[in-house]
Amino acid sequence: MLQELLTAAAAAGGAGVLYLASAARVVKQYERGVVFRLGRLAGRVREPGFTMVVPFVDRLHKVNMQIVTLPVPAQEGITRDNVTVRVDAVVYFRVVDAANALVRVEDYRFAVSQMAQTSLRSIIGKSDLDDLLSDREKLNQGLELMIDSPAVGWGVQIDRVEIKDVSLPDTMKRSMARQAEADRERRARVINADAELQASKVLAEAAREMSETPAALQLRLLQTVVAVAAEKNSTLVLPFPVELLRFLEKAQERPVER
Protein backbone atom coordinates (compact mmCIF):
# COMPACT_ATOMS: atom_id res chain seq x y z
CA MET A 1 0.00 0.00 0.00
CA LEU A 2 2.76 2.43 0.98
CA GLN A 3 4.69 1.56 -2.12
CA GLU A 4 1.66 2.31 -4.30
CA LEU A 5 1.24 5.72 -2.61
CA LEU A 6 4.88 6.54 -3.17
CA THR A 7 4.60 5.50 -6.78
CA ALA A 8 1.50 7.66 -7.26
CA ALA A 9 3.18 10.63 -5.55
CA ALA A 10 6.26 10.24 -7.74
CA ALA A 11 4.06 10.05 -10.84
CA ALA A 12 2.15 13.15 -9.79
CA GLY A 13 5.38 14.99 -9.05
CA GLY A 14 6.79 14.02 -12.42
CA ALA A 15 3.62 15.18 -14.14
CA GLY A 16 3.78 18.48 -12.25
CA VAL A 17 7.39 19.02 -13.25
CA LEU A 18 6.57 18.18 -16.85
CA TYR A 19 3.64 20.61 -16.76
CA LEU A 20 5.78 23.40 -15.33
CA ALA A 21 8.48 22.73 -17.89
CA SER A 22 6.00 22.96 -20.74
CA ALA A 23 4.13 25.96 -19.28
CA ALA A 24 7.11 28.09 -18.21
CA ARG A 25 8.26 30.86 -20.53
CA VAL A 26 10.87 33.62 -20.22
CA VAL A 27 10.40 36.97 -21.97
CA LYS A 28 13.60 38.99 -22.43
CA GLN A 29 13.93 42.63 -21.44
CA TYR A 30 13.68 43.92 -25.02
CA GLU A 31 10.72 41.67 -25.88
CA ARG A 32 6.98 41.55 -25.19
CA GLY A 33 4.92 38.36 -25.18
CA VAL A 34 1.56 38.07 -26.96
CA VAL A 35 -0.54 35.02 -26.02
CA PHE A 36 -3.09 33.43 -28.36
CA ARG A 37 -5.48 31.02 -26.65
CA LEU A 38 -7.06 28.66 -29.16
CA GLY A 39 -6.39 31.23 -31.85
CA ARG A 40 -7.78 34.23 -29.99
CA LEU A 41 -5.84 37.04 -28.35
CA ALA A 42 -5.79 36.26 -24.64
CA GLY A 43 -5.25 38.80 -21.88
CA ARG A 44 -2.73 41.57 -21.82
CA VAL A 45 0.72 41.62 -23.32
CA ARG A 46 3.23 39.73 -21.15
CA GLU A 47 5.98 41.88 -19.67
CA PRO A 48 9.67 40.85 -19.51
CA GLY A 49 10.50 38.11 -17.05
CA PHE A 50 9.07 34.73 -16.10
CA THR A 51 5.52 33.91 -17.24
CA MET A 52 3.23 30.89 -17.51
CA VAL A 53 1.01 29.66 -20.33
CA VAL A 54 -1.44 26.77 -20.62
CA PRO A 55 0.31 23.95 -22.47
CA PHE A 56 -1.24 22.80 -25.74
CA VAL A 57 -3.82 25.61 -25.43
CA ASP A 58 -1.84 28.86 -25.38
CA ARG A 59 0.75 29.93 -27.91
CA LEU A 60 3.21 32.68 -26.91
CA HIS A 61 4.65 34.97 -29.61
CA LYS A 62 7.59 37.16 -28.67
CA VAL A 63 7.86 40.56 -30.35
CA ASN A 64 11.15 42.45 -30.47
CA MET A 65 10.71 46.04 -29.25
CA GLN A 66 14.19 47.25 -30.23
CA ILE A 67 14.79 49.88 -32.90
CA VAL A 68 15.11 48.16 -36.28
CA THR A 69 17.43 49.53 -38.98
CA LEU A 70 15.84 48.76 -42.34
CA PRO A 71 17.81 49.61 -45.51
CA VAL A 72 15.61 50.64 -48.44
CA PRO A 73 16.87 49.31 -51.79
CA ALA A 74 17.87 51.94 -54.35
CA GLN A 75 14.83 53.20 -56.27
CA GLU A 76 15.12 54.64 -59.77
CA GLY A 77 12.83 57.47 -60.78
CA ILE A 78 12.48 60.69 -62.73
CA THR A 79 12.51 63.96 -60.82
CA ARG A 80 10.12 66.82 -61.44
CA ASP A 81 12.70 68.50 -63.69
CA ASN A 82 13.06 65.30 -65.81
CA VAL A 83 16.36 63.92 -64.45
CA THR A 84 16.75 60.16 -63.95
CA VAL A 85 18.24 59.34 -60.53
CA ARG A 86 18.70 56.38 -58.21
CA VAL A 87 18.08 57.06 -54.53
CA ASP A 88 18.49 54.74 -51.54
CA ALA A 89 17.55 55.37 -47.92
CA VAL A 90 17.41 53.82 -44.46
CA VAL A 91 14.44 53.63 -42.08
CA TYR A 92 14.65 53.43 -38.28
CA PHE A 93 11.47 52.11 -36.65
CA ARG A 94 10.30 50.18 -33.59
CA VAL A 95 7.20 48.34 -32.42
CA VAL A 96 5.15 50.22 -29.83
CA ASP A 97 2.11 47.90 -29.73
CA ALA A 98 3.09 44.23 -29.86
CA ALA A 99 -0.49 42.96 -30.20
CA ASN A 100 -1.31 45.16 -33.20
CA ALA A 101 2.01 44.31 -34.85
CA LEU A 102 0.93 40.65 -34.90
CA VAL A 103 -2.83 41.02 -35.48
CA ARG A 104 -3.20 44.01 -37.82
CA VAL A 105 -0.51 43.09 -40.39
CA GLU A 106 0.89 39.78 -41.57
CA ASP A 107 4.58 40.80 -41.54
CA TYR A 108 5.23 44.30 -40.24
CA ARG A 109 8.87 44.33 -41.37
CA PHE A 110 7.91 43.51 -44.97
CA ALA A 111 5.03 45.99 -44.84
CA VAL A 112 7.30 48.82 -43.66
CA SER A 113 9.86 47.93 -46.33
CA GLN A 114 7.31 48.05 -49.15
CA MET A 115 5.78 51.27 -47.85
CA ALA A 116 9.25 52.86 -47.65
CA GLN A 117 10.04 51.90 -51.27
CA THR A 118 6.78 53.28 -52.68
CA SER A 119 7.10 56.46 -50.61
CA LEU A 120 10.69 56.97 -51.79
CA ARG A 121 9.63 56.68 -55.43
CA SER A 122 6.82 59.16 -54.78
CA ILE A 123 9.25 61.63 -53.17
CA ILE A 124 11.59 61.37 -56.18
CA GLY A 125 8.76 62.25 -58.57
CA LYS A 126 7.66 65.25 -56.51
CA SER A 127 11.13 66.76 -55.99
CA ASP A 128 13.65 68.65 -58.12
CA LEU A 129 17.23 67.51 -58.50
CA ASP A 130 18.51 70.48 -56.48
CA ASP A 131 16.21 69.49 -53.60
CA LEU A 132 17.55 65.92 -53.60
CA LEU A 133 21.12 67.18 -53.49
CA SER A 134 20.89 70.11 -51.08
CA ASP A 135 17.60 70.01 -49.14
CA ARG A 136 17.55 66.44 -47.86
CA GLU A 137 16.35 67.30 -44.36
CA LYS A 138 13.02 68.51 -45.69
CA LEU A 139 12.67 65.43 -47.90
CA ASN A 140 13.51 63.17 -44.95
CA GLN A 141 10.70 64.71 -42.93
CA GLY A 142 8.23 64.30 -45.79
CA LEU A 143 9.29 60.69 -46.33
CA GLU A 144 8.98 59.95 -42.62
CA LEU A 145 5.44 61.35 -42.57
CA MET A 146 4.41 59.29 -45.59
CA ILE A 147 5.63 56.04 -44.01
CA ASP A 148 4.44 56.79 -40.48
CA SER A 149 0.81 57.48 -41.43
CA PRO A 150 -0.14 53.86 -42.27
CA ALA A 151 2.40 52.35 -39.86
CA VAL A 152 0.59 53.80 -36.82
CA GLY A 153 -2.27 51.34 -37.33
CA TRP A 154 0.21 48.46 -37.40
CA GLY A 155 1.57 49.27 -33.94
CA VAL A 156 4.82 50.53 -35.48
CA GLN A 157 6.43 53.94 -34.95
CA ILE A 158 8.86 55.43 -37.47
CA ASP A 159 11.71 57.11 -35.58
CA ARG A 160 13.73 58.51 -38.48
CA VAL A 161 14.19 58.22 -42.25
CA GLU A 162 17.45 59.21 -43.95
CA ILE A 163 18.25 59.46 -47.67
CA LYS A 164 21.72 57.95 -47.98
CA ASP A 165 22.86 58.47 -51.56
CA VAL A 166 21.68 60.00 -54.83
CA SER A 167 23.23 58.46 -57.96
CA LEU A 168 23.27 60.56 -61.14
CA PRO A 169 23.99 59.55 -64.75
CA ASP A 170 27.52 60.25 -66.01
CA THR A 171 26.24 62.81 -68.53
CA MET A 172 24.54 64.76 -65.76
CA LYS A 173 27.69 64.66 -63.63
CA ARG A 174 29.73 66.13 -66.50
CA SER A 175 27.12 68.82 -67.11
CA MET A 176 27.13 69.78 -63.43
CA ALA A 177 30.94 69.89 -63.45
CA ARG A 178 30.93 72.23 -66.46
CA GLN A 179 28.30 74.40 -64.81
CA ALA A 180 30.33 74.65 -61.61
CA GLU A 181 33.49 75.47 -63.59
CA ALA A 182 31.70 78.19 -65.55
CA ASP A 183 30.31 79.66 -62.34
CA ARG A 184 33.77 79.75 -60.74
CA GLU A 185 35.21 81.42 -63.86
CA ARG A 186 32.44 84.01 -63.83
CA ARG A 187 33.13 84.85 -60.19
CA ALA A 188 36.87 85.09 -60.90
CA ARG A 189 36.25 87.56 -63.71
CA VAL A 190 33.97 89.65 -61.52
CA ILE A 191 36.60 89.72 -58.77
CA ASN A 192 39.34 90.75 -61.25
CA ALA A 193 37.14 93.49 -62.70
CA ASP A 194 36.33 94.80 -59.24
CA ALA A 195 40.04 94.81 -58.36
CA GLU A 196 40.84 96.76 -61.56
CA LEU A 197 38.12 99.28 -60.72
CA GLN A 198 39.45 99.82 -57.20
CA ALA A 199 43.03 100.09 -58.48
CA SER A 200 42.04 102.65 -61.13
CA LYS A 201 40.35 104.82 -58.50
CA VAL A 202 43.45 104.74 -56.29
CA LEU A 203 45.74 105.47 -59.26
CA ALA A 204 43.58 108.41 -60.31
CA GLU A 205 43.74 109.84 -56.81
CA ALA A 206 47.52 109.35 -56.72
CA ALA A 207 47.87 111.12 -60.08
CA ARG A 208 45.93 114.10 -58.78
CA GLU A 209 48.17 114.31 -55.74
CA MET A 210 51.34 114.08 -57.82
CA SER A 211 50.12 116.73 -60.26
CA GLU A 212 49.95 119.19 -57.37
CA THR A 213 53.48 118.32 -56.18
CA PRO A 214 55.97 117.86 -59.05
CA ALA A 215 58.68 116.67 -56.65
CA ALA A 216 56.53 113.66 -55.76
CA LEU A 217 56.45 112.63 -59.42
CA GLN A 218 60.23 112.88 -59.53
CA LEU A 219 60.54 110.71 -56.42
CA ARG A 220 58.21 108.15 -57.96
CA LEU A 221 60.38 108.12 -61.04
CA LEU A 222 63.48 107.45 -58.94
CA GLN A 223 61.66 104.61 -57.12
CA THR A 224 60.84 103.07 -60.47
CA VAL A 225 64.49 103.23 -61.45
CA VAL A 226 65.52 101.50 -58.22
CA ALA A 227 62.93 98.77 -58.82
CA VAL A 228 64.19 98.18 -62.36
CA ALA A 229 67.81 98.10 -61.21
CA ALA A 230 66.98 95.37 -58.69
CA GLU A 231 66.12 93.01 -61.56
CA LYS A 232 69.84 93.03 -62.65
CA ASN A 233 69.07 93.79 -66.29
CA SER A 234 71.92 94.41 -68.66
CA THR A 235 70.53 97.71 -69.96
CA LEU A 236 68.99 100.47 -67.87
CA VAL A 237 67.32 103.42 -69.56
CA LEU A 238 67.26 106.48 -67.31
CA PRO A 239 64.66 109.06 -68.32
CA PHE A 240 65.72 112.71 -68.48
CA PRO A 241 64.75 114.58 -65.29
CA VAL A 242 61.54 116.48 -65.75
CA GLU A 243 62.66 119.29 -63.46
CA LEU A 244 65.74 119.89 -65.61
CA LEU A 245 63.54 120.19 -68.66
CA ARG A 246 61.39 122.73 -66.91
CA PHE A 247 64.52 124.68 -65.85
CA LEU A 248 65.73 124.82 -69.41
CA GLU A 249 62.27 125.83 -70.58
CA LYS A 250 62.19 128.73 -68.10
CA ALA A 251 65.69 129.77 -69.10
CA GLN A 252 64.63 130.07 -72.71
CA GLU A 253 61.66 132.21 -71.79
CA ARG A 254 63.88 134.85 -70.07
CA PRO A 255 64.62 137.93 -72.20
CA VAL A 256 68.18 138.32 -73.49
CA GLU A 257 69.99 141.26 -71.77
CA ARG A 258 71.96 143.68 -73.94
Side-chain angles (χ1 to χ4, degrees):
M1 185 65 179
L2 180 60
Q3 185 177 2
E4 293 177 355
L5 292 175
L6 293 176
T7 302
V17 172
L18 183 61
Y19 176 82
L20 290 175
S22 59
R25 297 289 188 274
V26 175
V27 180
K28 296 180 181 179
Q29 181 65 37
Y30 55 85
E31 296 176 336
R32 297 295 182 271
V34 180
V35 178
F36 290 92
R37 181 165 296 166
L38 298 177
R40 297 176 60 117
L41 186 64
R44 60 182 179 81
V45 176
R46 305 296 175 89
E47 296 295 326
F50 180 80
T51 186
M52 299 284 291
V53 298
V54 180
F56 310 109
V57 177
D58 293 345
R59 184 176 295 274
L60 179 67
H61 294 267
K62 299 178 182 179
V63 180
N64 194 328
M65 308 295 288
Q66 292 176 313
I67 295 179
V68 179
T69 303
L70 180 66
V72 181
Q75 302 297 309
E76 185 171 350
I78 300 177
T79 61
R80 191 166 55 182
D81 49 352
N82 299 323
V83 179
T84 302
V85 295
R86 288 177 59 87
V87 182
D88 57 351
V90 59
V91 180
Y92 301 90
F93 72 93
R94 60 189 177 93
V95 177
V96 294
D97 191 332
N100 286 339
L102 291 177
V103 175
R104 297 290 183 87
V105 62
E106 181 181 1
D107 186 349
Y108 65 88
R109 288 175 180 261
F110 181 74
V112 172
S113 175
Q114 294 300 309
M115 180 58 64
Q117 294 180 39
T118 56
S119 300
L120 183 57
R121 286 195 294 269
S122 178
I123 284 291
I124 293 174
K126 295 178 181 179
S127 305
D128 295 331
L129 179 60
D130 293 339
D131 296 334
L132 289 174
L133 296 177
S134 61
D135 197 9
R136 293 189 182 182
E137 189 64 30
K138 181 180 178 180
L139 298 180
N140 292 338
Q141 294 176 0
L143 190 57
E144 179 181 346
L145 182 61
M146 294 178 64
I147 302 174
D148 190 59
S149 297
V152 171
W154 305 337
V156 176
Q157 178 181 340
I158 306 299
D159 284 349
R160 189 170 182 83
V161 181
E162 290 284 350
I163 295 177
K164 292 197 302 183
D165 188 25
V166 178
S167 300
L168 300 175
D170 293 336
T171 55
M172 179 57 64
K173 292 180 180 179
R174 289 193 292 268
S175 298
M176 295 177 65
R178 289 195 299 268
Q179 179 184 0
E181 184 178 357
D183 184 67
R184 288 194 297 269
E185 185 177 356
R186 177 185 61 83
R187 285 183 290 177
R189 290 182 178 179
V190 171
I191 293 173
N192 289 334
D194 185 64
E196 292 291 340
L197 177 60
Q198 295 180 9
S200 64
K201 291 180 179 179
V202 175
L203 289 174
E205 184 178 356
R208 287 193 297 269
E209 292 292 333
M210 289 183 179
S211 64
E212 297 177 358
T213 309
L217 183 60
Q218 187 66 25
L219 291 175
R220 182 70 182 116
L221 179 61
L222 295 177
Q223 290 178 356
T224 304
V225 172
V226 173
V228 173
E231 298 295 332
K232 298 180 180 179
N233 294 329
S234 58
T235 303
L236 177 62
V237 179
L238 182 63
F240 202 74
V242 177
E243 293 297 329
L244 183 58
L245 292 176
R246 292 179 178 175
F247 175 76
L248 296 176
E249 181 181 358
K250 291 179 180 179
Q252 292 177 358
E253 292 177 355
R254 294 177 182 177
V256 180
E257 297 180 357
R258 293 180 181 179

